[in-house]
Amino acid sequence: MSSNQNYIFPPDLYYDRATHIWARYDDEIVTIGLDALGLESLGDMAYISLQAAGLPVQRGESIGSLEAAKMVGDVIAPVGGVIAARNDDVLRDPSLINRDPYHAGWIIQITPSDWESDSAQLAHGADVTAWVESEIERYRSQGWIE
Amino acid sequence: MLEFEVSFMRLITDNDVSASFGLAADECLAARVGAGQSEPTLRLYTYRSHCALVGRFQNLENEVHRAYCAEHNIALNRRPTGGGAILMGADQLGVALTLEGRGDDSYSRAREWMTQFSSGVVHALQSLGVAASFRRKNDIEVNGRKIVGLGIYRAPSGGLLFHASLLVDLDLPLMLHALKTPFEKISDKEIATVADRITTVRREIGRAITVDEVRARVAEGYAATFNVSLNGGGFTDDEWVAISNLQSLKYDTAEWVNQTTAVPDATGSAKIKTPSGLIDVRLTLAGNTIKAVMIGGDFFAAEGAVADLESSLRWHSADPKAVAAPLETAYTQRANDLSSLPRDSLVQVLQQAIRRAQVAESASRADPYGCFVTPEGAHV
């Protein structure tokens, strides 16, 4: 497991380097959430809205929006496909994302249209450790984390 | 070093705009600047008196008194940026800074953006002799009193919109009648309580400065902090068309203005008697987030210290550990100012108010035909 102090990055997940969104591929479904450094920067989640199940999406497209502290931004799909499910618990209590980001705080599920191609653009396996370390160093050098 | 460096910036000034046009223009510019279709722009403008603007995800019913607003021709709309409801008009300067975002940093720089983007306003206020400073997260304050509200929106194109509402002046009674607050009635006492937490440029400098003079200072502030010349201009023909489309398709529609969120609001209150006096807490939760909190009573605390405490709690998680952390920081920084407000008692009464809000929320879910809890509703 890649980690540095409190920043945990489970090694079985895939990570979008640009958006700090994680993806878990399991039984032809991709589950998506926000990783530890993304959450560190955004802070406490206040609100989230998500596109409805059944909507086709492309990698890089917005699949919803969120408000953390006072920043409003989009949730970007790390893979293309069709939205399979939304986490109703997170819609009702977005702080669940902060409390349990990799399990109960998952955000949305997508049935991928081209997992092989899309996942090749995400950090995974041995790449994760190096990427996380460089990200933590970057955050630290900017004074964003101690 | 500046996170965002621009070689030029357009300055647009407009006044008396409608709520739907003002917001459509800001979102439209953010999208276009992100896509490289428009220049980075600083827009300094005023709304037609008055309009009530709620945050991106707020439920309008929880935030404004619809009947009062309708009766007083106060327009209602929803910002693309987050945060709480505000009242805007001729004496409140709207600031909309739109810049091209960086494609590889969707989430990782939110905190730094807010610091840099707010610096132009802070610079302007300080040049007027107002001791304003950025308070992490979302406010610019003067000795614990809020004078500017801040928010950031990132458009799907990557463009960034920094929103600020600068209070040159404010009709407090009107605001308290139009917006829902934790108060059950509005009298001189409630107005004075809010006046302890909000201030204006005119109040701080003690003279009737015009909005135009403040606007000129803000423009100078951004020119200085971004080290850039501002080129005065207006919307291009393409922008007018795009703004008009967005206005009619989004900001003029009931679907946008009246949309709701699954995150419920709930209020709770609690009181505790201490040797130093009574502590009376009223708060509103949005889900598990503290949206609003008012700490009152008859204890003694230095000016601004209580408002500082409240501000440190707003938009924080309501989890017990999360509540304790900002209080610890505040008590460390203002030990003398808060010496007559016992921290343990404050923590106790806050947690009791939070529990009561959570119980109220659970009860409202169990009784779908019951009255939905609103911030001014009966406190549990």
Side-chain angles (χ1 to χ4, degrees):
Chain A
M1 179 171 290
S2 297
S3 68
N4 190 314
Q5 294 178 337
N6 295 321
Y7 307 114
I8 294 168
F9 287 74
D12 58 318
L13 304 184
Y14 294 75
Y15 299 90
D16 190 319
R17 296 176 182 87
T19 60
H20 280 277
I21 283 179
W22 60 259
R24 176 187 289 119
Y25 183 68
D26 186 26
D27 199 20
E28 299 186 359
I29 289 285
V30 178
T31 304
I32 288 161
L34 269 165
D35 74 26
L37 278 174
L39 287 169
E40 173 65 22
S41 177
L42 283 169
D44 296 329
M45 292 290 153
Y47 299 99
I48 189 166
S49 67
L50 297 168
Q51 298 283 10
L55 188 82
V57 295
Q58 293 185 349
R59 172 176 153 77
E61 272 187 354
S62 172
I63 48 177
S65 56
L66 56 82
E67 178 177 345
K70 267 200 170 181
M71 176 173 176
V72 171
D74 289 278
V75 181
I76 304 296
V79 299
V82 175
I83 295 175
R86 309 183 302 176
N87 186 345
D88 289 336
D89 292 337
V90 154
L91 285 169
R92 188 168 183 82
D93 178 11
S95 70
L96 191 55
I97 300 173
N98 297 95
R99 298 200 303 275
D100 192 7
Y102 297 113
H103 298 286
W106 65 272
I107 295 173
I108 209 164
Q109 291 183 323
I110 292 175
T111 305
S113 53
D114 191 353
W115 169 250
E116 291 301 321
S117 171
D118 285 345
S119 63
Q121 299 180 63
L122 306 175
H124 182 60
D127 293 346
V128 174
T129 303
W131 170 66
V132 169
E133 285 176 359
S134 72
E135 280 293 271
I136 288 175
E137 182 53 39
R138 184 167 70 91
Y139 274 50
R140 191 168 283 141
S141 69
Q142 296 288 338
W144 301 340
I145 59 176
E146 292 181 354
Chain B
M1 183 179 164
L2 295 177
E3 181 82 10
F4 282 85
E5 294 185 36
V6 291
S7 54
F8 58 89
M9 191 181 286
R10 174 177 52 164
L11 174 65
I12 292 179
T13 59
D14 49 345
N15 288 315
D16 204 33
V17 304
S18 69
S20 60
F21 175 83
L23 296 167
D26 291 345
E27 183 184 333
C28 184
L29 284 184
R32 291 178 59 90
V33 171
Q37 298 167 333
S38 291
E39 298 173 342
T41 301
L42 175 65
R43 180 176 178 227
L44 304 176
Y45 65 108
T46 61
Y47 286 93
R48 189 173 308 146
S49 294
H50 284 93
C51 59
L53 307 178
V54 298
R56 168 66 182 85
F57 289 100
Q58 291 190 301
N59 287 333
L60 205 69
E61 301 301 332
N62 293 347
E63 307 302 330
V64 302
H65 291 287
R66 268 191 191 271
Y68 183 90
C69 290
E71 199 178 319
H72 292 81
N73 292 320
I74 296 173
L76 305 178
N77 219 303
R78 175 180 304 280
R79 302 189 305 272
T81 46
I86 56 175
L87 190 69
M88 296 293 282
D91 287 334
Q92 293 79 45
L93 182 66
V95 177
L97 176 66
T98 44
L99 296 171
E100 185 182 351
R102 304 291 166 85
D104 61 348
D105 275 312
S106 290
Y107 295 110
S108 59
R109 298 187 175 177
R111 292 181 180 181
E112 301 314 304
W113 291 342
M114 191 68 96
T115 308
Q116 184 181 347
F117 293 170
S118 63
S119 60
V121 181
V122 171
H123 189 285
L125 290 171
Q126 289 176 345
S127 78
L128 288 166
V130 179
S133 59
F134 170 63
R135 182 179 186 98
R136 270 219 176 265
K137 259 187 170 176
N138 48 33
D139 291 334
I140 294 172
E141 296 180 348
V142 183
N143 192 26
R145 292 190 178 100
K146 180 173 177 171
I147 193 166
V148 183
L150 310 169
I152 294 178
Y153 160 72
R154 184 183 176 93
S157 68
L160 293 170
L161 165 63
F162 168 74
H163 249 176
S165 52
L166 169 53
L167 303 178
V168 179
D169 209 339
L170 182 65
D171 184 339
L172 268 181
L174 179 69
M175 185 190 82
L176 291 176
H177 281 103
L179 306 184
K180 291 187 174 179
T181 70
F183 302 122
E184 289 158 15
K185 60 183 177 62
I186 299 166
S187 67
D188 289 349
K189 181 185 169 193
E190 282 73 33
I191 292 169
T193 300
V194 175
D196 277 343
R197 289 154 173 84
I198 293 177
T199 192
T200 68
V201 179
R202 287 178 186 158
R203 178 179 170 186
E204 290 298 319
I205 65 174
R207 67 180 174 91
I209 190 171
T210 64
V211 170
D212 280 342
E213 191 179 341
V214 175
R215 180 174 8 221
R217 296 292 185 118
V218 173
E220 290 166 11
Y222 277 99
T225 56
F226 279 81
N227 191 26
V228 68
S229 295
L230 298 175
N231 305 315
F235 299 111
T236 66
D237 290 346
D238 285 351
E239 287 169 346
W240 278 114
V241 171
I243 292 167
S244 177
N245 286 340
L246 187 61
Q247 186 180 1
S248 60
L249 293 174
K250 183 171 182 176
Y251 288 97
D252 274 337
T253 67
E255 183 186 3
W256 169 255
V257 176
N258 296 323
Q259 68 179 248
T260 58
T261 170
V263 178
D265 272 14
T267 60
S269 68
K271 295 177 184 176
I272 191 169
K273 192 81 179 165
T274 76
S276 307
L278 180 76
I279 307 174
D280 180 358
V281 167
R282 291 160 184 269
L283 55 79
T284 305
L285 299 183
N288 197 46
T289 300
I290 298 173
K291 189 172 78 172
V293 58
M294 197 75 75
I295 302 168
D298 54 13
F299 56 86
F300 174 79
E303 186 184 3
V306 173
D308 217 26
L309 274 178
E310 294 167 349
S311 182
S312 73
L313 290 165
R314 273 199 298 276
W315 300 101
H316 261 280
S317 165
D319 288 339
K321 279 186 184 173
V323 168
L327 292 184
E328 188 175 337
T329 304
Y331 271 84
T332 302
Q333 291 172 344
R334 305 192 67 152
N336 291 335
D337 296 344
L338 296 168
S339 58
S340 295
L341 180 57
R343 187 169 74 176
D344 290 348
S345 299
L346 180 59
V347 169
Q348 186 184 339
V349 73
L350 276 167
Q351 291 182 344
Q352 191 172 9
I354 289 168
R355 279 196 301 276
R356 287 177 172 174
Q358 290 166 337
V359 168
E361 194 278 317
S362 298
S364 72
R365 259 188 292 161
D367 177 13
Y369 302 104
C371 181
F372 193 76
V373 178
T374 57
E376 92 293 10
H379 290 270
V380 177

